[in-house]
Amino acid sequence: MSTEKELLSLRDQIDSIDKQILDLISNRASCAQRVAEVKTNAGADSTLFYRPEREAQVLRKIMDLNQGPLDDEEMARLFREIMSACLALEDPVKVAFLGPEGTFTQEAALKHFGHSAVTVPMSAIDEVFREVAAGSVSYGVVPVENSTEGVINHTLDNFMDSNIHICGEVVLRIHHHLLMSDVTKEDKISRIYSHAQSLAQCRKWLDANYPHAERVAVSSNAEAAKHVRGEWNAAAIAGETAAQLYSLKKLSEKIEDQPDNSTRFLIIGSHPVPESGDDKTSILVSMRNKPGALHDLLEPFHRMGIDLTRVETRPSKSGAWNYVFFIDFKGHASDELIQKALKDVGERATDLKILGSYPCGVL
Ligand SMILES: O=C(O)C(=O)C[C@]1(C(=O)O)C=C[C@@H](O)C=C1
C-alpha cells in the first residue's frame, strides 16, 4: 500500500474511533447528570457533588486497567479532565488558591480538580482558609511542603486555628525558569524577583550565575513575573504557566538546584471524606514539654504497625500547647485499627485534632 493510502486508511480508523469515544463520553456525561439529580433528590447541597474518594477510585481503576501504549499517568490525566467536565455539568467546583493567576498553587489546583474547575485567586494563604470556612468557595488549595526547602509553616499554623478538613493532596514537580520581558537587557540584570521559597530552591544556581544580582522576595512567583514586565534591569524566577501568562522569555530553563524538586499541596474543604481504599490521615497533637514526649506519642503507631509518612513540630501559640506535632499516617480515621491508635494517642496528649482523612494523591 502506498504511504498516502496507508495514511488515509489509518485516519478513517481514527475518525471512526473518535465517533465512538464521543458517543461514550456523552453517555458518561448523561450518567453524571443523573447522578446529580439523585444527589439533589437526596438533599445534598452542591458542595457535596464533588466526591474525592470516588474520583480517586475511578483514576486508580483506570491506571490498573491501562495496558498502554499511553502510560498510566497520561491516561489518568485524560480521565481526570473527563471527570472534571462531568462534574461541571453537575455543578462546577469553585476552588480558592494562592494567587495571582499563574502560580504553582493554581497549577496544583487544576492538576487535582481538572480544567473545568473554577479557580479563584486569593492574595494570602490565610485568605484561602478564610474563604473555605466562610463557604464562598467549596475548596481551597495550599502548599504544605517542598522537597528542597521543607515545610511551609504558615499553612500548618492556619490549621491550629481553624476547623477546616483536609480532603486531598496533590504533588507537583516544580521547574523554575529565569524569565525576562522584552524590555529587559540580558547583560544588565541586577535584580531578580521571586517568592522566597523559589529563591531558596535556586540558591546554588543563582550563586554560580548571578552572584551580584539583588534577590528580591515577593508574595508569589506570578507576582515576580508581573514585576519584570516594565523593568529593563530585572528578571524573575517563575514557572511555565507564569511565563506564558505574562509573555516572558526564558533566559535559562529548569534552574532549580534539586532536579526532583517538588511541592506537596493540600486540598482543604468543609466536609469529611469517606474511605477510598488507599488513604492518609493528618492529625494535630499537642503535648506538654517533657523528655521523651515525641517518643511516647508515636509509640502506639509503631506498636500497631501504622505507617507514619510525616512528623512536623511547631511551637505552640498558647501555654497549653507546649509542643504541637503535625502527624500524617497511612489509613482512614473510620478504620478500626486507626481508631484504636487515635484513642491511645489521645490519652497521652493534651489535645488531639483530626485534620482529615483523604485519598493518597493519585496523579
Ligand atoms: O460518582 C459521582 O458521585 C459523580 O458525581 C460522578 C463523578 C464522575 O464523573 O465519575 C463526577 C464527580 C464526582 O466528583 C465523582 C465522580
Side-chain angles (χ1 to χ4, degrees), residues 266-282:
L266 293 176
I267 316 303
I268 55 172
S270 319
H271 301 282
V273 179
E275 244 176 307
S276 76
D278 182 17
D279 301 284
K280 246 184 207 176
T281 297
S282 298

Side-chain angles (χ1 to χ4, degrees), residues 125-126 128-134 142 154-166 268-270 284 317 321 326 353-356:
I125 289 177
D126 311 36
V128 178
F129 275 82
R130 253 201 319 273
E131 291 302 298
V132 174
V142 287
H154 202 67
T155 296
L156 293 189
D157 289 349
N158 264 288
F159 281 111
M160 289 192 214
D161 311 319
S162 72
N163 290 318
I164 289 289
H165 289 269
I166 302 176
I268 55 172
S270 319
L284 194 158
K317 287 183 178 174
W321 296 63
F326 287 87
K353 185 162 149 187
I354 300 174
L355 300 177

Side-chain angles (χ1 to χ4, degrees), residues 28 32 35 39 49-51 54-55 58 83 86-87 90:
R28 193 189 191 286
V35 167
K39 286 178 185 167
F49 283 7
Y50 169 66
R51 301 299 289 265
R54 172 68 183 155
E55 296 213 348
V58 169
M83 251 193 308
C86 287
L87 177 63
E90 296 185 32

Side-chain angles (χ1 to χ4, degrees), residues 253-316:
E253 291 189 48
K254 298 187 180 171
I255 60 168
E256 60 278 3
D257 296 334
Q258 305 286 336
D260 59 352
N261 186 34
S262 50
T263 296
R264 178 170 169 250
F265 297 83
L266 293 176
I267 316 303
I268 55 172
S270 319
H271 301 282
V273 179
E275 244 176 307
S276 76
D278 182 17
D279 301 284
K280 246 184 207 176
T281 297
S282 298
I283 59 172
L284 194 158
V285 190
S286 62
M287 200 73 180
R288 293 232 179 272
N289 188 3
K290 61 167 187 161
L294 182 58
H295 177 272
D296 251 22
L297 200 64
L298 300 183
E299 188 279 329
F301 293 107
H302 176 68
R303 182 167 28 90
M304 295 183 200
I306 296 166
D307 188 7
L308 292 174
T309 55
R310 190 178 64 125
V311 179
E312 294 293 341
T313 315
R314 291 287 297 143
S316 75

